[in-house]
């Protein structure tokens, strides 16, 4: 099991891509039609002012089938997943879920995954958690570790091999 | 009434946000909550939703199934984990086909998700299950004259559709808990603003700007302290406060606490046991009896 299985264009990814494609077509055909472009989503969007994300425009682009354009754009990675757009949409369109599907599509199409996502994924594959135990600093600059604070040992998958077998199925499982 | 939960630690709390875990383990037993540690938990999957939503669903179901195997309900202190596991319950509860598919994958670890267990977060555990009356009765050191701002975290309050422990537009349960400790709470316009935490993964500068903007407002409103209930939010507001200040050209000095740290103090737990030395924001500004 490697990170490639979950993220690249490898053969095992064909099914996964088909599935995400299916999700996007469904969103395009059934969901984007409900949107009447009131822009209530964009009005409350946490990423709007700072990073110019306009969720209502993403829905409009989806409706017109401009999926590749969005998948290739950096803007989909500016969403903070605050879920305000899903909460407040009068038509239950949930732009945030469209953005998740688009990002998943970008990943499965072999696009470069931004930031620390790859490292976090790698860590999950090896120890089940996004990171291992870290040393922390106190306000007066002493370093401390989990066990030094009297906390019990970290809970993580007991049998990493079996845990990985489960994860592998995500990349190859048929719908 | 004594109640028992498996503590689901997630990733961030047990690997670096130790103050939350310490204060949970110290203060909740004083309210008759018994916490059980289970080996074998993994990431909830929520931070990976942008990469692969099926992975999120799978990881969440895996953790729920593990708790079911031990016949225990789950206490989930992280807002992000709580969202992931809530959504998993919602999706698998409404989609038998997906449930079957996930269970097929879980078989490799001899796990099955049935959907029999309950989940709680810190806020509903304290407010709904323990209850503010009980908390009031057990307070030994009331926090008189301290004015606090609350931060719930986006993942705890939305989306209502999947079931959240607090109201999405007017959450007040933290206020009720803090008032039971005799602290003062005041609403402020930026209360529902995001910490930016998720962007720490790929756009760290922007993430810090979000944090800085909110804290700057809190500082200008004249609060004595800021209270949160999620390790991702706390990492931004407390651990990264001075950096966040740089992004908004402000010298920030807002004391930031986990709710359970204040709870512990009010219940009479010694300061040293609540991980207060791990808060990097100036928590010493507040004097606690
Ligand atoms: S709030 Fe809903 S209906 Fe209005 S523009 Fe956004 S997605 Fe469309
Ligand atoms: S979830 Fe993303 S798109 Fe929706 S309002 Fe929040 S930041 Fe904007």
């Amino acid at each position: 099991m490697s990170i490639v299985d979950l993220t690249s264009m490898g053969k095992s990814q064909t099914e996964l891509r088909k599935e995400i494609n299916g999700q996007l077509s469904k969103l395009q055909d059934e969901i984007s039609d409900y949107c009447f472009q009131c822009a209530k989503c964009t009005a409350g969007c946490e990423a709007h002012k700072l990073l110019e994300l306009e969720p209502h425009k993403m829905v409009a682009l989806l409706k017109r089938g401009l999926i590749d354009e969005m998948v290739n754009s950096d803007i989909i990675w500016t969403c903070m997943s605050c879920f305000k757009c899903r909460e407040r949409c009068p038509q239950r369109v949930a732009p945030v879920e469209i953005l998740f599907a688009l990002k998943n599509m970008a990943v499965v199409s072999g696009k470069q995954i931004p930031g620390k996502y790859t490292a976090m994924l790698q860590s999950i594959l090896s120890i089940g958690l996004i990171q291992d135990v870290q040393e922390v600093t106190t306000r007066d600059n002493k370093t401390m570790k989990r066990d030094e604070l009297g906390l019990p040992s970290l809970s993580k998958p007991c049998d990493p091999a079996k845990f990985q077998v489960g994860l592998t199925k995500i990349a190859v499982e048929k719908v | 009434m004594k109640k028992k939960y498996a503590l689901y630690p997630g990733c961030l709390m047990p690997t670096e946000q130790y103050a939350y875990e310490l204060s949970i383990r110290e203060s909740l037993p004083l309210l008759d909550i018994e916490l059980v540690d289970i080996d074998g938990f993994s990431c909830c999957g929520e931070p990976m939703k942008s990469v692969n939503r099926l992975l999120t669903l799978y990881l969440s179901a895996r953790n729920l199934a593990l708790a079911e195997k031990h016949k225990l309900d789950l206490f989930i202190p992280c807002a992000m984990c709580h969202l992931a596991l809530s959504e998993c319950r919602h999706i698998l509860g409404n989609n038998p086909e997906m449930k079957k598919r996930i269970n097929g994958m879980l078989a490799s670890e001899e796990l099955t998700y049935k959907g029999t267990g309950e989940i709680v977060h810190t806020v509903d555990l304290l407010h709904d299950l323990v209850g503010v009356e009980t908390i009031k009765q057990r307070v030994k050191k009331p926090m008189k004259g301290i004015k606090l701002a609350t931060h719930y975290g986006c993942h705890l309050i939305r989306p209502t559709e999947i079931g959240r422990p607090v109201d999405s537009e007017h959450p007040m349960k933290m206020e009720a808990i803090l008032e039971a400790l005799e602290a003062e709470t005041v609403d402020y316009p930026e209360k529902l603003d995001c910490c930016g935490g998720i962007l720490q993964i790929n756009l760290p500068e922007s993430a810090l700007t979000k944090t800085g903007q909110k804290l700057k407002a809190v500082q200008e409103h004249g609060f004595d302290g800021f209270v949160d209930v999620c390790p991702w939010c706390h990492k931004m507001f407390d651990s990264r406060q001075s950096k966040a200040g740089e992004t908004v050209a402000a010298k920030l000095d807002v004391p930031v606490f986990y709710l359970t740290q204040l709870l512990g103090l009010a219940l009479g737990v010694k300061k040293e046991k609540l991980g207060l030395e791990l808060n990097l924001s100036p928590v010493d500004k507040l004097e606690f009896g």
Side-chain angles (χ1 to χ4, degrees):
Chain A
M1 176 72 181
S2 79
I3 196 157
V4 179
D5 298 322
L6 271 175
T7 59
S8 82
M9 292 261 278
K11 204 174 168 196
S12 58
Q13 292 303 82
T14 323
E15 290 300 329
L16 196 53
R17 277 183 65 206
K18 248 193 246 163
E19 177 174 4
I20 297 168
N21 216 359
Q23 288 169 4
L24 281 166
S25 313
K26 199 170 166 210
L27 287 168
Q28 184 189 346
D29 297 343
E30 295 171 20
I31 309 293
S32 68
D33 264 357
Y34 290 116
C35 171
F36 48 60
Q37 290 291 299
C38 69
K40 209 176 169 201
C41 50
T42 300
C45 176
E46 290 281 353
H48 175 52
K49 269 198 206 125
L50 192 63
L51 293 153
E52 292 166 8
L53 176 61
E54 295 178 292
H56 75 289
K57 287 203 179 149
M58 306 307 279
V59 183
L61 290 172
L62 177 71
K63 192 168 173 174
R64 293 167 65 189
L66 297 169
I67 293 174
D68 285 348
E69 285 76 358
M70 285 190 284
V71 166
N72 286 312
S73 153
D74 290 339
I75 196 82
I76 56 175
W77 294 93
T78 61
C79 168
M80 302 184 193
S81 34
C82 74
F83 297 94
K84 275 188 184 163
C85 54
R86 178 166 170 188
E87 184 70 26
R88 293 175 180 174
C89 172
Q91 294 292 89
R92 305 183 65 187
V93 173
V96 60
E97 303 301 330
I98 294 170
L99 287 161
F100 277 130
L102 290 166
K103 284 179 275 183
N104 284 190
M105 191 61 185
V107 170
V108 85
S109 309
K111 299 247 155 351
Q112 178 120 35
I113 314 173
K116 286 186 256 167
Y117 279 110
T118 313
M120 285 162 64
L121 183 56
Q122 208 118 42
S123 174
I124 292 177
L125 296 179
S126 71
I127 60 161
L129 306 173
I130 59 169
Q131 66 180 14
D132 210 335
V133 170
Q134 309 283 305
E135 209 168 67
V136 293
T137 317
T138 64
R139 251 188 338 287
D140 44 18
N141 268 319
K142 272 188 245 136
T143 54
M144 283 281 195
K145 264 194 163 176
R146 187 179 165 79
D147 50 347
E148 290 163 354
L149 290 159
L151 290 166
S153 63
L154 190 64
S155 178
K156 55 184 176 192
C158 309
D159 186 338
K162 277 191 191 167
F163 174 68
Q164 285 171 5
V165 171
L167 292 184
T168 317
K169 291 186 184 165
I170 294 168
V172 295
E173 194 83 350
K174 282 197 180 166
V175 188
Chain B
M1 190 188 64
K2 219 170 159 68
K3 182 98 176 77
K4 197 155 125 178
Y5 289 97
L7 174 64
Y8 173 72
C11 295
L12 209 56
M13 180 179 84
T15 59
E16 62 164 72
Q17 289 297 316
Y18 305 128
Y20 200 15
E21 189 173 343
L22 287 165
S23 57
I24 281 169
R25 290 183 188 275
E26 282 296 329
S27 56
L28 292 189
L30 298 176
L31 298 168
D32 305 322
I33 302 296
E34 184 186 344
L35 299 175
V36 182
D37 291 307
I38 295 180
D39 207 14
F41 283 128
S42 60
C43 172
C44 69
E46 188 66 26
M48 286 296 122
K49 218 184 224 171
S50 293
V51 172
N52 188 318
R53 286 193 293 176
L54 189 58
L55 175 63
T56 308
L57 197 59
Y58 175 73
L59 288 171
S60 284
R62 181 189 175 278
N63 292 308
L64 288 164
L66 187 60
E68 282 179 12
K69 193 173 172 177
H70 289 266
K71 297 197 168 48
L72 285 168
D73 292 336
L74 276 177
F75 165 42
I76 309 171
C78 170
M80 202 184 281
C81 301
H82 189 277
L83 172 74
L85 271 60
S86 303
E87 186 159 43
C88 176
R89 282 158 50 96
H90 180 77
I91 291 174
L92 300 189
N94 291 307
N95 187 343
E97 236 169 86
M98 183 56 96
K99 186 171 160 186
K100 213 173 128 199
R101 180 177 170 196
I102 294 283
N103 273 330
M105 292 153 69
L106 285 172
S108 50
E109 288 195 272
E110 291 117 42
L111 290 169
T112 317
Y113 171 80
K114 296 191 208 78
T116 49
E118 292 297 323
I119 64 173
V120 292
H121 175 265
T122 319
V123 172
D124 52 334
L125 176 59
L126 290 172
H127 185 277
D128 304 348
L129 287 138
V130 172
V132 284
E133 279 313 313
T134 307
I135 298 175
K136 250 185 219 167
Q137 286 161 15
R138 311 251 169 122
V139 167
K140 289 191 178 136
K141 293 188 172 174
M143 312 215 140
K144 286 212 172 68
I146 297 174
K147 194 171 91 177
L148 300 168
T150 60
H151 174 86
Y152 287 80
C154 300
H155 291 89
L156 192 66
I157 60 180
R158 303 181 207 98
T160 305
E161 195 188 341
I162 63 161
R164 305 311 293 128
V166 279
D167 187 79
S168 65
E169 302 293 343
H170 195 55
M172 289 302 284
K173 289 185 182 176
M174 281 176 80
E175 278 75 359
I177 296 162
L178 289 165
E179 276 155 26
L181 313 181
E182 297 187 33
E184 195 190 325
T185 60
V186 184
D187 257 351
Y188 59 107
E190 299 80 9
K191 179 166 146 180
L192 300 184
D193 287 5
C194 178
C195 70
I198 264 283
L199 281 190
Q200 188 68 33
I201 300 168
N202 60 313
L203 293 164
E205 274 299 308
S206 306
L208 285 168
T209 309
K210 289 299 288 186
T211 311
Q213 286 170 344
K214 180 154 184 166
L215 280 178
K216 194 174 171 200
V218 166
Q219 184 159 300
E220 284 165 5
H221 294 316
F223 283 104
D224 298 316
F226 182 88
V227 190
D228 51 31
V229 281
C230 168
W232 288 76
C233 301
H234 190 84
K235 180 173 180 166
M236 299 306 292
F237 291 121
D238 176 76
S239 318
R240 298 186 177 268
Q241 182 171 138
S242 57
K243 283 210 158 176
E246 288 166 22
T247 64
V248 291
K251 172 100 191 67
L252 296 174
D253 60 348
V254 184
V256 178
F257 300 91
Y258 279 115
L259 177 65
T260 41
Q261 290 183 301
L262 294 181
L263 175 70
L265 285 169
L267 294 176
V269 179
K270 286 216 181 71
K271 243 163 82 176
E272 301 74 50
K273 293 191 162 176
L274 295 165
L276 278 157
E277 78 277 14
L278 298 170
N279 298 42
L280 298 185
S281 63
V283 293
D284 293 325
K285 269 174 62 179
L286 266 77
E287 295 279 338
F288 300 104

